[in-house]
Amino acid sequence: MKRIAVLTSGGDAPGMNAAIRAVVRTSIERGWEVFGVEHGYRGLLNGEFVPLNRRDVGGIMQLGGTILGSARCPEFKTDEGRRKAVRELNRRGVEALVVIGGNGSQAGAQALYQLGFPVVGVASTIDNDLAGSDITLGVDTALNIALEAIDRLKVTASSHERAFLVEVMGRNCGYLALMAGLAGGAEAICVPEFETSPEAVAEAIATAYERGKPHALIVVAEGARYNATRLAEYFREHNEELGFQLRVTILGHVQRGGTPGAFDRLLGTRFGAYAVEQIAADNYGVLVGQIKGEIVATPYDQVIGQPKPLDPRLLELANVLAK
Ligand code: ADP
Ligand code: F6P
């Protein structure tokens, strides 16, 4: 019998609960014992371990967020902090840890693995900024929330002949913005990977106006150099060139707190089960993700610090379709 632990860390993502449920139930099916660590790495350092049985993870799949809680934990970034975490795990006889989280969380998991502790990661963040998974857990739900907001904004924008600037999350990654812009029919998309100038955005809005469009939509990634705040500042100073009145909406955490859709429930379920299979196979220091439709486990050294480029053709397509 093995004793394993599971935690969620960093920004919560819709689908994390499905992953926890799958980790717990597939482990118990193997006759293992499972502990949940509350509040991510902070809970690991503070010894916040709770036993999890089948019933403890009942009725959670449809819930956003994470039943284990999450946190950002600066102490875990120190060598001393991580050694303390290993001591806590060893003290409880935990033989392997599943870390469900994003880029930073997986960097932390790799550091733990480098200290000799058996770790398996699950790629989970709405930012989609983790190499090792074409799509990470939570992205699909976050994207649908952004799209619902965009669709609504387009309705009111058309009624008033306005331009709307919508800022979406993603930290330094423009994936959410690019996909929301493409699927939402944006006139302009600003992402950190392919920076554009405020003049080019103004031009896109003005030409949309000239072509008789009743609205213009600009989707901006929070990590873009010209994010919503800076673009709004520019437009305040150059108002007369636009044609449309401009309104700004920053979607913020609304994107993170949604009910996980079918895609993320299934992805979380498959990721969680696959993470347990890796433990059974003693395959550690890997990140579970989805590549070309397959669930795979990629060694951390091929994932952490690796770029996750955006496809420039999608931005070009969005620009063509906006005409
Ligand atoms: P996410 O996992 O969603 O990207 P963060 O970047 O905030 O979120 O990372 C979550 C936690 O992971 C951090 O609070 C910290 O405890 C840990 N972490 C982040 N980066 C590192 C790192 N380079 N080394 C060790 N731990 C890290
Ligand atoms: O990593 C997920 C994310 O939502 C990013 O998109 C965003 O930049 C960040 O977390 C916000 O962090 P916090 O929830 O700590 O404000």
Side-chain angles (χ1 to χ4, degrees), residues 57-73:
V57 292
I60 66 169
M61 250 215 305
Q62 68 277 25
L63 305 177
T66 156
I67 58 153
L68 290 175
S70 191
R72 318 255 187 212
C73 176

Side-chain angles (χ1 to χ4, degrees), residues 117-129:
F117 198 84
V119 181
V120 174
V122 169
S124 174
T125 164
I126 67 160
D127 299 338
N128 208 29
D129 58 351

Side-chain angles (χ1 to χ4, degrees), residues 1 3 5 28 38-39 59 77 110 116 118 139 149-150 157 182 220 305:
M1 182 178 103
R3 178 178 289 175
I28 291 173
E38 293 180 325
H39 308 118
K77 287 189 172 179
Q110 183 191 35
V139 172
I150 284 170
L182 192 53
V220 188

Side-chain angles (χ1 to χ4, degrees), residues 9-11 41 72-73 76-77 82 102-105 107-108 171:
S9 166
Y41 292 132
R72 318 255 187 212
C73 176
F76 193 76
K77 287 189 172 179
R82 288 193 295 272
N103 216 328
S105 303
R171 204 178 278 184

Side-chain angles (χ1 to χ4, degrees), residues 77-243:
K77 287 189 172 179
T78 66
D79 191 49
E80 198 191 322
R82 288 193 295 272
R83 286 182 191 282
K84 190 173 164 197
V86 173
R87 279 199 300 277
E88 288 293 334
L89 288 160
N90 288 336
R91 205 154 67 82
R92 287 172 174 77
V94 174
E95 294 157 82
L97 176 69
V98 178
V99 173
I100 304 169
N103 216 328
S105 303
Q106 301 306 337
Q110 183 191 35
L112 210 55
Y113 176 65
Q114 285 164 345
L115 283 178
F117 198 84
V119 181
V120 174
V122 169
S124 174
T125 164
I126 67 160
D127 299 338
N128 208 29
D129 58 351
L130 254 175
S133 198
D134 292 340
I135 188 143
T136 54
L137 190 55
V139 172
D140 186 70
T141 304
L143 195 50
N144 277 306
I145 294 168
L147 275 177
E148 193 183 331
I150 284 170
D151 291 346
R152 289 179 184 188
L153 290 172
K154 271 180 121 170
V155 170
T156 173
S158 298
S159 307
H160 287 266
E161 303 208 328
R162 280 174 176 162
F164 265 84
L165 245 178
V166 184
E167 185 181 281
V168 300
M169 278 188 161
R171 204 178 278 184
N172 300 317
C173 178
Y175 183 89
L176 274 182
L178 176 56
M179 293 306 175
L182 192 53
E187 272 59 49
I189 300 172
C190 304
V191 290
E193 290 85 348
F194 313 109
E195 286 293 359
T196 181
S197 65
E199 290 79 10
V201 177
E203 167 81 8
I205 302 177
T207 55
Y209 181 72
E210 282 154 23
R211 285 199 303 276
K213 287 199 179 188
H215 62 255
L217 175 74
I218 310 142
V219 180
V220 188
E222 65 175 349
R225 178 159 168 234
Y226 289 98
N227 60 12
T229 311
R230 290 195 64 194
L231 277 177
E233 207 175 274
Y234 173 88
F235 288 128
R236 255 196 309 278
E237 288 160 15
H238 299 81
N239 198 21
E240 67 285 354
E241 294 150 37
L242 284 184

